[in-house]
Amino acid sequence: NYYNICGMAVCAVLIFSTLVRKIHKGKLGKIYFMMLLSVFFSSAFDVVAVRLDNVTSELIPLKYFANIGYLFFHNLTGAMYSVYIIAITDSMHLVRNRRLLKTAYWIPLAAVAVLLVVNLFNGCLFTFDENGIYKRGEMFLVLYISTAFYIVFGMYYLFKYRKTVAFDRWIALMLVVPVSVFSAFIQLLFPEMIIEIFMNAISIMFVSTIVQRPEEFLDVETGARNETALISDTKRMFITGKPVDMILIKIINYQNMLDYISSEDVSAIMRKIVSFLYEKSESMKMKNTDIYFQKRGMICIISEAEYHDRISGYLNEVMEYLRNPIVVSEISLNCDVSVCSVRCPEDIDSFE
């Protein structure tokens, strides 16, 4: 049980770090945070389950509750890991648009949920004897098959779209698999060696350290994503064929601003513009819209294709905002802008 406690402690530190660094926001951040919570809860339930193994049979209902919670969150972790890989390779649209793939994804998790309920009546997954001793059921192997399915599901996209992920990140994501498989195999052969949750927590720690580093793609002056992020994200889009709407805003008098007012005031103006763009995309329910800022006064907005019907209204709101003076440090400035809206990949042939 000490391994589980250590695993839970590692997850608790990662959760705290994630909240402090504010990397639980955005599509990828939310998926990562849910995966992290899943590992934490599976370890917490397992700690309780193992602890209850040492008490009398009078607490059988609580033992069932702890073990069901552990098995559910344990399998949910595998499902969330595959979603995380699909999200980081920017291939979510490929799954979302194919009914067969969507159905296949949900079947194992739904089957496990049903079996956990049915288990209360027939002990198909696990049960307790008259002495309150935990016994695995005939269908316990289904849980490992479910986890294996999600590993293969995620690995398929990680290998197919290898070029969408930097090499160090790819290696970190790959390491999760052998570590998880090895620990699961050891625990399957030797149930008394409870190391699986701890090893999963260590794997997630590697992902947090190497993969989940949004600070690298943030423009600290404006709060938008930076030029490196724009290059990386658009490259992934063209590799996976993701359909998006792209709005390009060029602030023509950007250099004049730098010549006549301080760079701090210019940054403040850019922050106001970026903040408005984010707020407007949220108010129009354009989820996962990304804003990018380039140092030459270029702003790029990338919105998912499902919100194409809202782009015209969004553009009108943006242009209306930019026509009005922006006040900063008691200075009122007008932005001279040019705007271009394109659909990708229809209107742009390639990343280059």
Side-chain angles (χ1 to χ4, degrees):
N1 205 28
Y2 292 113
Y3 285 109
N4 281 338
I5 294 173
C6 290
M8 190 167 61
V10 170
C11 289
V13 171
L14 291 176
I15 290 171
F16 177 76
S17 172
T18 299
L19 294 173
V20 170
R21 293 162 62 196
K22 297 181 179 180
I23 60 175
H24 59 293
K25 299 178 180 180
K27 179 174 66 177
L28 190 61
K30 289 176 182 176
I31 294 172
Y32 165 76
F33 193 60
M34 289 177 65
M35 180 173 63
L36 190 55
L37 288 176
S38 183
V39 177
F40 175 80
F41 283 119
S42 63
S43 61
F45 274 110
D46 204 21
V47 167
V48 175
V50 173
R51 181 65 178 173
L52 289 174
D53 283 343
N54 300 321
V55 301
T56 64
S57 58
E58 296 176 359
L59 297 176
I60 292 298
L62 191 56
K63 287 186 175 184
Y64 270 103
F65 175 76
N67 280 276
I68 287 174
Y70 160 67
L71 293 174
F72 175 76
F73 281 107
H74 180 271
N75 278 268
L76 181 62
T77 299
M80 292 307 305
Y81 177 69
S82 65
V83 172
Y84 182 74
I85 288 178
I86 293 169
I88 206 169
T89 56
D90 216 359
S91 50
M92 189 72 76
H93 62 286
L94 299 175
V95 178
R96 188 187 298 127
N97 296 333
R98 297 178 184 177
R99 183 175 298 178
L100 183 61
L101 281 177
K102 287 172 63 177
T103 303
Y105 173 83
W106 285 108
I107 286 177
L109 198 59
V112 168
V114 170
L115 285 175
L116 287 172
V117 174
V118 173
N119 182 77
L120 294 171
F121 304 98
N122 62 9
C124 59
L125 294 177
F126 68 90
T127 188
F128 297 94
D129 62 18
E130 62 278 3
N131 297 317
I133 304 301
Y134 176 90
K135 301 289 184 181
R136 288 180 176 177
E138 295 179 354
M139 299 188 69
F140 193 86
L141 191 61
V142 172
L143 301 175
Y144 286 95
I145 293 173
S146 171
T147 300
F149 169 84
Y150 286 117
I151 289 175
V152 172
F153 197 90
M155 287 299 101
Y156 170 77
Y157 287 94
L158 190 59
F159 275 96
K160 184 173 183 178
Y161 299 109
R162 156 72 187 87
K163 294 181 179 179
T164 64
V165 185
F167 182 71
D168 59 336
R169 287 173 164 81
W170 191 84
I171 291 296
L173 291 168
M174 276 297 302
L175 282 175
V176 173
V177 177
V179 170
S180 299
V181 171
F182 173 76
S183 59
F185 182 71
I186 293 298
Q187 194 160 316
L188 179 63
L189 295 180
F190 309 100
E192 69 279 1
M193 293 185 64
I194 310 172
I195 64 170
E196 188 176 4
I197 295 298
F198 173 71
M199 298 305 291
N200 286 344
I202 295 300
S203 299
I204 297 297
M205 185 175 68
F206 275 109
V207 172
S208 176
T209 305
I210 300 174
V211 181
Q212 196 64 20
R213 297 181 301 186
E215 300 94 340
E216 294 183 2
F217 302 106
L218 181 68
D219 182 83
V220 294
E221 294 182 359
T222 64
R225 290 171 66 77
N226 60 24
E227 191 167 358
T228 301
L230 177 60
I231 294 172
S232 176
D233 291 353
T234 51
K235 183 179 180 180
R236 281 201 303 271
M237 280 165 24
F238 280 103
I239 291 175
T240 63
K242 180 181 179 180
V244 299
D245 283 282
M246 183 180 293
I247 300 172
L248 303 172
I249 301 174
K250 170 66 175 177
I251 301 176
I252 300 172
N253 59 337
Y254 181 77
Q255 186 58 50
N256 290 338
M257 291 183 186
L258 290 174
D259 292 338
Y260 289 102
I261 63 176
S262 68
S263 58
E264 290 80 7
D265 287 338
V266 174
S267 294
I269 292 172
M270 296 303 111
R271 276 196 300 274
K272 281 194 171 186
I273 294 175
V274 168
S275 178
F276 172 83
L277 296 175
Y278 273 123
E279 289 172 3
K280 185 53 60 176
S281 65
E282 290 178 4
S283 67
M284 296 185 69
K285 302 188 184 305
M286 296 165 62
K287 297 180 181 179
N288 305 318
T289 296
D290 287 314
I291 316 293
Y292 305 83
F293 178 74
Q294 297 172 277
K295 294 299 182 182
R296 299 176 300 278
M298 288 286 294
I299 297 174
C300 179
I301 306 164
I302 296 180
S303 174
E304 295 188 357
E306 61 182 293
Y307 306 119
H308 177 70
D309 59 334
R310 304 174 196 178
I311 288 295
S312 178
Y314 182 78
L315 265 174
N316 290 335
E317 295 283 352
V318 171
M319 292 305 296
E320 181 65 27
Y321 175 79
L322 293 175
R323 286 192 192 103
N324 298 315
I326 298 175
V327 179
V328 60
S329 297
E330 300 182 354
I331 301 174
S332 179
L333 287 171
N334 286 89
C335 292
D336 185 11
V337 301
S338 61
V339 179
C340 174
S341 177
V342 296
R343 301 191 72 178
C344 299
E346 295 90 339
D347 299 333
I348 302 178
D349 295 328
S350 67
F351 167 71
E352 287 77 14

